[in-house]
Amino acid sequence: MHIYDKDFTQTELPMTKQEIRAISIAKLMLKPNSILIDVGAGTGTIGIEAATYMPQGKVYAIEKEEKGLDTIKLNAERFELKNFELIHGKAPDVIPNIAYDRMFIGGSTGGLDEIINHFMKYATDGAILVINCITLETQSKAIEILKEKGFKDIEIITVTVGRAKKVGPYTMMFGENPICIIKVIKRNSN
């Protein structure tokens, strides 16, 4: 189910806005029984919303920041999720060594190469990896790493959302930060 930003508990940690969540989750092409690894869960919005689309699946949300853990727990409880597990620690060290078919990277703290290595080792054939980048450096590094690892079809889009706000008697559009969304599919040939 689509969840509006106002329905989540928000703190100082950045939250993936609902329009970007909608596109990112669409790019994941979730199945009802998908196993999703959500790396850099932040406030938990991607993993929590994704969990609502996967009633027989499971989300493993990885977050290293202590301040994010309570927010993620509150948000997961609000939606009464039984298929959502929060794991505290730094990826890839705490990512379960299990087969999974979806991975979302919203934050990597410089460990992008190692996290993608985990995807290469444990994700099933046909698994989908989606990476959201807010900085040009992360975007460039992600593309470089994916090419080095042999991914051929690297889908890249940039999304910019504008929100209307009242300014006196007028309505003006104010832009949010542009987000680069990268998607690849794991093939045995990778």
Side-chain angles (χ1 to χ4, degrees), residues 27-37 54 56-60 98-104 119 122-130 183-186:
K27 294 292 181 190
L28 284 166
M29 299 178 71
L30 299 168
K31 298 176 185 171
N33 63 344
S34 284
I35 304 297
L36 169 66
I37 308 294
M54 315 174 345
Q56 294 88 43
K58 180 137 188 192
V59 174
Y60 294 92
I98 58 169
Y100 53 90
D101 65 333
R102 301 293 185 266
M103 177 182 269
F104 174 80
F119 177 79
Y122 292 99
T124 58
D125 187 44
I128 295 174
L129 168 63
V130 173
K183 173 188 175 178
V184 294
I185 300 174
K186 181 183 175 187

Side-chain angles (χ1 to χ4, degrees), residues 55-161:
Q56 294 88 43
K58 180 137 188 192
V59 174
Y60 294 92
I62 314 297
E63 179 53 52
K64 70 175 183 58
E65 296 290 339
E66 297 241 359
K67 59 187 171 188
L69 300 177
D70 289 337
T71 304
I72 295 170
K73 286 176 192 167
L74 282 171
N75 283 326
E77 288 167 8
R78 174 175 284 172
F79 296 100
E80 300 175 0
L81 299 173
K82 305 291 185 238
N83 60 342
F84 182 90
E85 183 176 328
L86 176 59
I87 300 171
H88 179 217
K90 190 172 188 285
D93 303 339
V94 299
I95 299 174
N97 294 334
I98 58 169
Y100 53 90
D101 65 333
R102 301 293 185 266
M103 177 182 269
F104 174 80
I105 303 174
S108 62
T109 318
L112 196 55
D113 193 36
E114 295 81 12
I115 295 165
I116 293 172
N117 282 341
H118 193 283
F119 177 79
M120 298 295 295
K121 183 173 181 179
Y122 292 99
T124 58
D125 187 44
I128 295 174
L129 168 63
V130 173
I131 306 169
N132 280 13
C133 312
I134 194 166
T135 69
L136 294 174
E137 290 80 7
T138 303
Q139 176 183 336
S140 175
K141 186 70 174 167
I143 294 165
E144 177 187 323
I145 291 168
L146 292 169
K147 284 181 180 176
E148 284 172 5
K149 301 210 181 292
F151 286 97
K152 305 270 188 286
D153 298 319
I154 302 172
E155 182 182 334
I156 306 165
I157 65 167
T158 300
V159 181
T160 305
V161 174

Side-chain angles (χ1 to χ4, degrees), residues 8 35 43 45 67 72 181:
F8 285 106
I35 304 297
T43 55
T45 58
K67 59 187 171 188
I72 295 170
I181 301 174

